[in-house]
Amino acid sequence: MEITGLRDIFLSQEEYLDTEVMVSGWVRSNRDSKNFGFLVISDGTFFTPLQVVYHDSLENFAQAAKLGVGAAVIVEGKLVATPEAKQPFELQASSITVEGDTEASYPLQKKRHTLEYLRTIPHLRPRTNTFQAVFRIRSQVAFALHSFFQERGFVYVHTPIITASDTEGAGEMFQVTTLPLESVPMEKGEVQYGEDFFGKKTSLTVSGQLNGETFAQAFRDIYTFGPTFRAEKSNTQRHAAEFWMIEPEMAFADLDDVMFIAEDMLKYVIQYVLVNAPEELEFLNQFVDKGLLDRLNHIVESEFARVTYTEAVEILQKQNDRFEYKVEWGCDLQTEHERYLTEEVYKRPVFVTDYPKDIKAFYMKLNEDGKTVAAVDCLVPGIGEIIGGSQREDDYEKLKKRMEELKMDLEEYEFYLDLRRYGSTRHGGFGLGFERAVMYITGMSNIRDVLPFPRTVGNCEL
Amino acid sequence: MEITGLRDIFLSQEEYLDTEVMVSGWVRSNRDSKNFGFLVISDGTFFTPLQVVYHDSLENFAQAAKLGVGAAVIVEGKLVATPEAKQPFELQASSITVEGDTEASYPLQKKRHTLEYLRTIPHLRPRTNTFQAVFRIRSQVAFALHSFFQERGFVYVHTPIITASDTEGAGEMFQVTTLPLESVPMEKGEVQYGEDFFGKKTSLTVSGQLNGETFAQAFRDIYTFGPTFRAEKSNTQRHAAEFWMIEPEMAFADLDDVMFIAEDMLKYVIQYVLVNAPEELEFLNQFVDKGLLDRLNHIVESEFARVTYTEAVEILQKQNDRFEYKVEWGCDLQTEHERYLTEEVYKRPVFVTDYPKDIKAFYMKLNEDGKTVAAVDCLVPGIGEIIGGSQREDDYEKLKKRMEELKMDLEEYEFYLDLRRYGSTRHGGFGLGFERAVMYITGMSNIRDVLPFPRTVGNCEL
């Protein structure tokens, strides 16, 4: 007989009820009486576990009765409805085969563990309810994003991980090298990068956007979905050194188009998870974040609000008393301001547009006022900024002037300027931090708990 | 009026014929006569470009007539059938708006360029026919892989890029660091990794498999899809320093299950591209690799052959005269042997199984003969090995013994041994080099031409 997954059994119960099935899984609990017992097993394909009833008619009843939490088993038997019980059906075992036993030292005995403790066993925590829910949803969110963009004809571009440039002139980057650190080749106080693998200094990417733009100017609509890195030593709940990012980019598109696709995308992804992971969301709503389901349903049904930065500052200034950081035109908005806008003022997601040019990146399109750029941040209740994007400067002269003002190395960006010399188009895009989206959709509050193997300052396990 | 993509127009022509449309795109060619002209434009959404006819009734006829290759335009007009012409329809322009002009220095004038030359302009080459075909197919292959696994309930796991371990004890790895290379902190001749970002020595991953196994032991069926790295200085057509890999892993599964899913996956992906990129494949078949379509259709229809390594060696030994490397039991198979098996002996894809343990990785399951392991390579005509996989050793004692034989650091692999202590299951998986698959499906022979921004020794542009 073939092994049937619990997902199939739960989603097509009618087909399996009153038939003989073979299932596999790991023991979640085992209660035995004198001549029968209940085994709860999960095979990882479905959130809800299966109850197995076994009797002393089994030749290995004694072995079954001793099975510990975590043991792997294969069970054959008949699936029968249990209308009077909590669970809809149970499996009446005709045989239980031990695939792999477990040991008493198994760290996941049946009791609640703190998330902090579970972080110390990243190789085992996916077996718990919370992480079964989180990581299945993570997988679904990833696939929903791909589906969303592919259905709309966007081309998936793998922008490079190792790079010789620094997208935003910004950040602290990880260096990538094959030079021996014990004896770095030096001459006159300079590292001899000619001897490094690529013949130059290289780092891990902080964004694929500029590379993505080159493909948008060929395929019109593209998206990236890959890992990005920041070597920031900030030890917060929201920052990891390695995280994934989605960066769509569209040619022949303006800031309105960017907002339209961003709103559509968020709703699509949330809707996908609502439909495909109802058991997981129910669990998270009950044990992790009581307002989760309401919030997700609310977003899907809302029309996102829109406000300019200048208008938003006027609104916020009236409330300066309540803020730690006082607001004035020209300042960057802090999370407290963002959350006030989306949670108190609009009570739904809001796009804030047209930020002062000096607090935004060089590539954003200068507005006619000469002071602001066509930037947009999408703020959502409970978290603040979830998406940042912009229309890009498509005018060769204006872009060059801005880069010169910022004393950037024009030669390094020759390829980027070329896009404005040869068939430039109005175009724009945005970045969605994937983990931030997963946190939002699962209600988890620490980024370490939505990354399979989180990398943060001082922490790189497995 | 809204801009309509050429994909929509070509795939739903009936809907658009004899209606007014607005399209956007980049000029591929422009032929003008005294009082009319033909513009061929591509918007990147569909492989076939659109012919636009314009007349001197346009107020900017002179401007239109001068439009150079690469310029970006927006055209309004009526779509009319052209039953007597090569193309099925053309657009009779009522207006042509120049979105972004181009310059005479545009490198992609209408003539054939060599692939070598195009590699020097990675930011522009996606605008050529060849790379329009290659990179759209690359995107489709990626999505088909996701769809294949998601439809079967596999959970997508993002295994880490930065790692403190070396999966196969194998390879030359890139080091990742925030230590200043000009003045690496040293003490008694040792690099002080305590001062590095993660407090230890870290590198770029060469495989996500071991991490993937931890998730398979929780979710049963999982897959990874992410970038992997090799700092090998080999400058061949088939090696890149940065490439993407797919690594499915299944619990409660043996080598047969691994082969079954691998065969199914390859056929699914090829079928997906045959259906969704017929124009691109037609082009590649005509200009890049004449046998491409035959080969792809053949694979979809074949049942893959199976042979053990020992049987394969017997077959190959009889042909030792023709090989550069002579075959004997215990040797690794070279590409010449692999291609002979799949192209001459079986004339279809073939799985070679049960390799000598000494030429395979430590984690592969020891067969009962004590000499071979439950490994499998999938060989395909035209390329040789495209997939390598195995059933994993699930017995704690046997695995530990093998690791001790190989003098591995058991402490570093404690997590991996844990999987054999707590509910071990028979399990297995494989790795598919994504670029190798894309090369196979596009007929491109150099890995630099299927990577958007290839990284090879001495080469890290953009």
Side-chain angles (χ1 to χ4, degrees):
Chain A
M1 205 187 291
E2 291 260 303
I3 291 173
T4 304
L6 295 188
R7 174 166 292 267
D8 284 343
I9 289 179
F10 274 91
L11 296 184
S12 316
Q13 349 191 327
E14 311 71 30
E15 205 179 303
Y16 291 101
L17 274 176
D18 298 316
T19 72
E20 294 286 322
V21 295
M22 179 191 270
V23 300
S24 63
W26 292 273
V27 172
R28 286 294 187 85
S29 71
N30 188 3
R31 286 179 293 136
D32 67 298
S33 296
K34 202 169 163 194
N35 48 10
F36 66 98
F38 295 102
L39 211 54
V40 175
I41 66 170
S42 162
D43 74 352
T45 66
F46 196 68
F47 187 75
T48 313
L50 176 69
Q51 175 158 296
V52 175
V53 197
Y54 58 97
H55 289 91
D56 56 5
S57 53
L58 289 186
E59 61 180 59
N60 63 342
F61 177 76
Q63 184 192 28
K66 266 191 239 138
L67 277 171
V69 174
V73 293
I74 293 177
V75 184
E76 285 181 80
K78 191 173 166 187
L79 199 73
V80 294
T82 50
E84 71 296 344
K86 221 173 35 174
Q87 67 279 6
F89 46 75
E90 64 186 19
L91 184 63
Q92 295 178 338
S94 57
S95 92
I96 296 179
T97 311
V98 179
E99 172 83 3
D101 213 340
T102 183
E103 297 179 15
S105 61
Y106 186 54
L108 296 175
Q109 298 303 328
K110 201 174 160 53
K111 64 160 206 156
R112 268 197 98 161
H113 300 280
T114 64
L115 294 174
E116 289 74 17
Y117 170 69
L118 293 173
R119 274 175 222 144
T120 66
I121 46 169
H123 61 307
L124 299 175
R125 69 174 182 170
R127 304 178 183 197
T128 63
N129 278 330
T130 302
F131 289 98
Q132 283 275 310
V134 166
F135 290 127
R136 195 187 324 279
I137 290 176
R138 183 180 167 106
S139 169
Q140 290 188 357
V141 172
F143 186 61
L145 285 163
H146 279 296
S147 300
F148 174 83
F149 287 113
Q150 295 272 341
E151 284 171 11
R152 282 154 189 76
F154 284 61
V155 169
Y156 179 25
V157 182
H158 293 98
T159 49
I161 312 303
I162 302 175
T163 173
S165 71
D166 172 352
T167 297
E168 311 203 16
E172 310 187 57
M173 298 174 80
F174 288 102
Q175 192 166 349
V176 174
T177 184
T178 55
L179 295 175
L181 260 58
E182 299 73 24
S183 54
V184 174
M186 303 280 291
E187 214 165 280
K188 296 182 187 155
E190 304 251 308
V191 177
Q192 297 302 293
Y193 282 113
E195 297 179 32
D196 208 345
F197 188 88
F198 295 108
K200 58 172 94 167
K201 186 174 178 181
T202 54
S203 316
L204 292 177
T205 186
V206 296
S207 160
Q209 181 202 316
L210 303 198
N211 296 80
E213 281 187 50
T214 70
F215 271 66
Q217 292 298 104
F219 286 101
R220 202 183 74 173
D221 300 328
I222 66 100
Y223 68 108
T224 74
F225 190 169
T228 45
F229 304 84
R230 297 282 154 82
E232 277 172 41
K233 292 201 167 152
S234 57
N235 215 334
T236 81
Q237 298 217 327
R238 294 176 52 172
H239 291 89
E242 175 180 323
F243 55 99
W244 286 63
M245 201 134 84
I246 296 92
E247 297 180 285
E249 187 77 30
M250 298 171 281
F252 296 102
D254 60 19
L255 199 64
D256 262 352
D257 296 312
V258 169
M259 287 189 272
F260 179 82
I261 208 87
E263 178 169 343
D264 229 24
M265 177 196 74
L266 282 180
K267 289 176 174 173
Y268 180 102
V269 169
I270 292 170
Q271 186 62 37
Y272 185 91
V273 178
L274 284 168
V275 169
N276 290 285
E279 293 80 10
E280 285 81 356
L281 287 176
E282 193 58 60
F283 172 85
L284 293 167
N285 190 60
Q286 195 172 343
F287 294 105
V288 170
D289 178 354
K290 299 273 181 220
L292 180 64
L293 276 172
D294 282 347
R295 207 173 59 224
L296 297 179
N297 282 311
H298 178 60
I299 293 216
V300 171
E301 289 152 16
S302 304
E303 191 178 335
F304 292 15
R306 297 188 180 189
V307 63
T308 65
Y309 169 89
T310 302
E311 290 161 351
V313 165
E314 280 166 23
I315 293 167
L316 292 166
Q317 274 181 317
K318 293 187 191 136
Q319 305 290 332
N320 257 340
D321 288 352
R322 59 192 294 160
F323 298 131
E324 189 183 344
Y325 294 91
K326 307 306 169 197
V327 176
E328 60 176 337
W329 201 96
C331 78
D332 216 348
L333 299 185
Q334 304 295 320
T335 303
E336 58 175 337
H337 311 133
E338 293 174 343
R339 292 189 58 171
Y340 178 77
L341 283 171
T342 178
E343 292 168 18
E344 307 288 328
V345 180
Y346 294 100
K347 302 187 195 321
R348 58 193 161 122
V350 54
F351 289 114
V352 182
T353 61
D354 304 299
Y355 284 77
K357 68 174 180 175
D358 291 327
I359 59 171
K360 288 291 181 181
F362 76 93
Y363 50 70
M364 297 190 178
K365 187 171 180 66
L366 190 64
N367 286 328
E368 290 188 0
D369 61 17
K371 296 188 305 183
T372 61
V373 288
V376 60
D377 281 358
C378 178
L379 317 180
V380 290
I383 199 164
E385 185 205 328
I386 194 166
I387 283 174
S390 72
Q391 190 171 337
R392 320 306 186 185
E393 184 55 77
D394 52 63
D395 183 279
Y396 179 83
E397 293 300 337
K398 285 187 193 156
L399 179 62
K400 196 169 155 218
K401 177 156 167 274
R402 183 71 179 140
M403 292 170 76
E404 282 165 349
E405 274 171 25
L406 296 169
K407 301 195 176 17
M408 293 171 63
D409 178 0
L410 292 193
E411 211 168 304
E412 200 193 316
Y413 292 91
E414 197 60 38
F415 79 97
Y416 195 64
L417 286 163
D418 270 0
L419 303 181
R420 279 72 181 168
R421 295 171 68 192
Y422 306 126
S424 189
T425 68
R426 81 195 87 148
H427 67 290
F430 62 85
L432 169 71
F434 179 63
E435 279 73 18
R436 206 160 279 187
V438 176
M439 288 168 74
Y440 194 64
I441 295 174
T442 57
M444 301 299 284
S445 54
N446 195 314
I447 197 167
R448 291 167 183 78
D449 298 327
V450 301
L451 278 156
F453 301 89
R455 272 77 179 102
T456 53
V457 56
N459 186 14
C460 182
E461 298 305 316
L462 308 199
Chain B
M1 205 186 294
E2 290 262 301
I3 291 173
T4 304
L6 295 187
R7 174 166 293 268
D8 284 344
I9 289 179
F10 275 91
L11 296 184
S12 318
Q13 350 191 326
E14 311 70 30
E15 205 179 303
Y16 291 102
L17 275 175
D18 298 315
T19 71
E20 295 286 323
V21 295
M22 179 191 270
V23 301
S24 63
W26 292 272
V27 173
R28 286 295 188 85
S29 70
N30 188 2
R31 286 181 293 136
D32 67 297
S33 296
K34 200 168 163 194
N35 48 9
F36 68 97
F38 295 102
L39 212 53
V40 175
I41 65 171
S42 163
D43 75 352
T45 66
F46 196 68
F47 187 75
T48 313
L50 176 70
Q51 174 159 297
V52 175
V53 197
Y54 59 96
H55 292 272
D56 57 5
S57 51
L58 290 186
E59 60 180 56
N60 63 342
F61 176 75
Q63 185 193 27
K66 267 189 239 141
L67 277 171
V69 175
V73 293
I74 293 177
V75 183
E76 285 182 80
K78 192 170 166 190
L79 199 73
V80 295
T82 50
E84 71 297 343
K86 224 173 29 173
Q87 68 279 5
F89 47 74
E90 65 185 19
L91 185 62
Q92 294 178 338
S94 56
S95 91
I96 296 180
T97 311
V98 179
E99 171 84 3
D101 212 340
T102 183
E103 298 179 15
S105 61
Y106 187 54
L108 296 175
Q109 297 303 327
K110 201 172 161 53
K111 62 160 208 155
R112 267 193 104 161
H113 299 280
T114 64
L115 294 174
E116 289 74 16
Y117 169 69
L118 293 173
R119 274 176 222 142
T120 67
I121 45 170
H123 62 306
L124 298 176
R125 68 175 182 170
R127 304 179 182 195
T128 63
N129 277 330
T130 303
F131 289 98
Q132 283 275 309
V134 166
F135 290 126
R136 194 186 326 278
I137 290 175
R138 183 180 167 108
S139 170
Q140 290 188 357
V141 172
F143 185 62
L145 286 163
H146 279 296
S147 300
F148 175 82
F149 287 113
Q150 295 272 341
E151 283 170 13
R152 281 153 190 78
F154 283 61
V155 170
Y156 179 26
V157 182
H158 293 98
T159 49
I161 312 303
I162 302 175
T163 173
S165 71
D166 172 352
T167 297
E168 312 203 17
E172 309 187 58
M173 296 174 82
F174 288 102
Q175 192 166 348
V176 174
T177 185
T178 54
L179 294 175
L181 261 58
E182 299 73 23
S183 53
V184 175
M186 304 280 291
E187 212 165 281
K188 294 181 188 156
E190 304 252 307
V191 177
Q192 296 304 293
Y193 283 113
E195 297 179 33
D196 207 345
F197 189 88
F198 296 108
K200 58 172 94 169
K201 186 175 177 179
T202 53
S203 316
L204 293 178
T205 185
V206 297
S207 160
Q209 181 200 315
L210 302 198
N211 295 81
E213 280 188 50
T214 70
F215 271 66
Q217 293 296 105
F219 286 101
R220 202 182 73 173
D221 300 327
I222 65 99
Y223 68 108
T224 74
F225 190 169
T228 46
F229 305 84
R230 296 283 154 82
E232 278 173 41
K233 292 202 169 153
S234 57
N235 215 332
T236 80
Q237 297 216 325
R238 294 176 52 172
H239 290 89
E242 175 180 322
F243 55 99
W244 286 63
M245 200 133 84
I246 296 92
E247 296 181 286
E249 188 75 30
M250 297 170 281
F252 296 102
D254 60 18
L255 200 63
D256 262 353
D257 296 312
V258 169
M259 287 188 273
F260 179 82
I261 208 88
E263 178 170 344
D264 230 23
M265 177 195 75
L266 283 180
K267 289 176 175 173
Y268 180 102
V269 168
I270 291 171
Q271 186 63 37
Y272 185 91
V273 178
L274 284 168
V275 169
N276 289 285
E279 294 80 11
E280 285 81 356
L281 288 177
E282 192 58 61
F283 172 85
L284 294 167
N285 191 61
Q286 196 173 342
F287 294 105
V288 171
D289 177 354
K290 300 272 182 221
L292 180 64
L293 276 172
D294 281 347
R295 207 172 60 225
L296 297 179
N297 281 310
H298 177 59
I299 293 217
V300 171
E301 288 151 17
S302 303
E303 191 178 336
F304 292 15
R306 297 187 182 192
V307 63
T308 66
Y309 168 90
T310 303
E311 291 161 352
V313 164
E314 280 166 23
I315 293 167
L316 292 166
Q317 274 181 317
K318 293 184 189 139
Q319 305 290 332
N320 257 340
D321 287 353
R322 61 191 297 159
F323 297 131
E324 188 183 346
Y325 294 92
K326 308 305 170 195
V327 175
E328 60 177 337
W329 200 96
C331 78
D332 215 347
L333 299 185
Q334 304 295 321
T335 303
E336 58 174 339
H337 313 132
E338 293 174 345
R339 293 189 57 171
Y340 178 77
L341 283 170
T342 178
E343 291 169 17
E344 307 287 327
V345 180
Y346 294 100
K347 300 188 194 328
R348 56 193 162 124
V350 55
F351 289 114
V352 181
T353 61
D354 304 299
Y355 285 77
K357 68 173 179 177
D358 291 328
I359 59 170
K360 288 290 182 182
F362 76 94
Y363 50 71
M364 297 191 180
K365 187 173 179 63
L366 192 64
N367 286 327
E368 290 188 359
D369 60 17
K371 295 189 303 182
T372 61
V373 288
V376 61
D377 281 358
C378 179
L379 317 179
V380 291
I383 199 165
E385 186 206 326
I386 194 166
I387 284 174
S390 73
Q391 190 171 336
R392 320 305 188 187
E393 184 57 77
D394 52 66
D395 183 279
Y396 179 83
E397 293 301 335
K398 286 186 192 158
L399 180 62
K400 195 169 156 217
K401 180 157 165 274
R402 184 68 181 143
M403 292 171 77
E404 282 164 350
E405 275 170 24
L406 296 169
K407 301 195 177 17
M408 293 170 64
D409 178 359
L410 292 193
E411 212 168 305
E412 199 193 317
Y413 293 91
E414 198 61 37
F415 80 97
Y416 195 62
L417 286 162
D418 270 0
L419 303 181
R420 280 73 181 167
R421 297 170 69 193
Y422 306 127
S424 189
T425 68
R426 81 194 87 149
H427 67 289
F430 62 84
L432 169 71
F434 179 63
E435 280 73 19
R436 206 160 278 187
V438 176
M439 287 168 74
Y440 195 63
I441 296 175
T442 57
M444 301 298 284
S445 55
N446 195 315
I447 197 168
R448 291 167 183 78
D449 297 328
V450 301
L451 277 155
F453 301 89
R455 272 75 178 102
T456 54
V457 56
N459 186 14
C460 183
E461 298 304 314
L462 308 197

